[in-house]
Amino acid sequence: MLNPEDIESVREAIRSCAHADGRVLDALCEEVRTLKPGVRVIRPRTTTAVSLVASDGGNNRLEFDPFLFQMVRVVDSCGKQLCLDVVSPTTDTDELSRKQFDENHRPVTDLGFLMDELGVQTHHLHSLSPMIPLGTKVREEPEKVGTSWVQVYRDLVEWAVLYRLIVDRSFGTDTLIVRDGFLRSKVFAGDLFVKMMQRIEQAIERIRVEEKRNVYLVGLAKHSKVLQRYQLAMALEHVIPGGEARFVAIPAELEAKAYKWDEWARGRGEAETGGEAAKYKAGQMYFVRFGSRVSDPVWTIDLLESQVNRAQEVFGYLLADAINGFPVPYYPRCLQSAHEHAQVVGFDATIMQHEVFEAVRNLLPEHRRPILDRAQLDVGDVSERRFG
């Protein structure tokens, strides 16, 4: 604990820093004032809202798992399972790549379908994303292979499911598709992300013309450095006043100030003005508040760049879905439903734990298996006993 005299020193240091950096807050307030003319009221509209969510591998919490298994599972807001796989950091990526295609090199999974559509000639995941290690490295130097590529693989699978849902499906009604996260990604090789998003936009236009149905795509992020940077200044300047649900577009130049690397804020519009081409961004950022009170949460949402002219309509559909949000108020219900279905908890987690235990047990010689059996009785967080 801090001593009373330490608290006084800390207080003085904080106040001194705040006084010296007061100009920073003044600058932020000046920046957000430019947003006021663009704030718009949202009116609820009704349509079908669908969301896709991948299970969070960090929540598996498996015991006796020397292989660090990760379940890659994608479900929609209706609970329909769209993908299921299990990988580990030492999974042979050559074999994993082959699993996406049959013996005639035709895709058999959504990820294989995406790779084929994007013209990934080698049909190897490393060509789709350089963050996926080559199989030779996994086999020959496993100690040099990081664990993060498993999360990259999960992201690729989630993008692939989203891609196929739009370009290879029919829609009976107008549909709003909500992605869990921004419409941006740095995991794809070269310009493959931009190429994928352009194909999605072309498919949406084809559906509108041929099927007479409107498909909308947005990405909602739970956390945003841009919102974190400007939230206090927006409150001080009353940028989004109370009374009704509202939204406001965030210019790319304000986005860029919140990022370490400004290419994360470079979209199609910025690329057209010169400089580096857009590689990672396919959405226009908005701050959106679905509640009517100033204290209601503000979310950061990417709207597909080709649908910016329909922002009022799209956010109206999102508002209708968010009004009934539970347990998180004014958060799209379709996303919350998808998260509920995607969780690997309860009986599902018990089954996965059992299968991991059996797989490890079968690797052991007969005389050593009782050691693992006895160890099961000691599973648990010993530190929690202090609360008993």
Side-chain angles (χ1 to χ4, degrees), residues 328-345:
V328 181
Y330 297 113
Y331 187 75
R333 178 59 192 158
C334 64
L335 257 181
Q336 298 193 59
S337 296
H339 274 287
E340 291 168 6
H341 293 302
Q343 292 183 73
V344 184
V345 294

Side-chain angles (χ1 to χ4, degrees), residues 232-244:
L232 175 58
M234 289 175 60
L236 293 173
E237 296 295 325
H238 304 289
V239 173
I240 306 181
E244 296 179 281

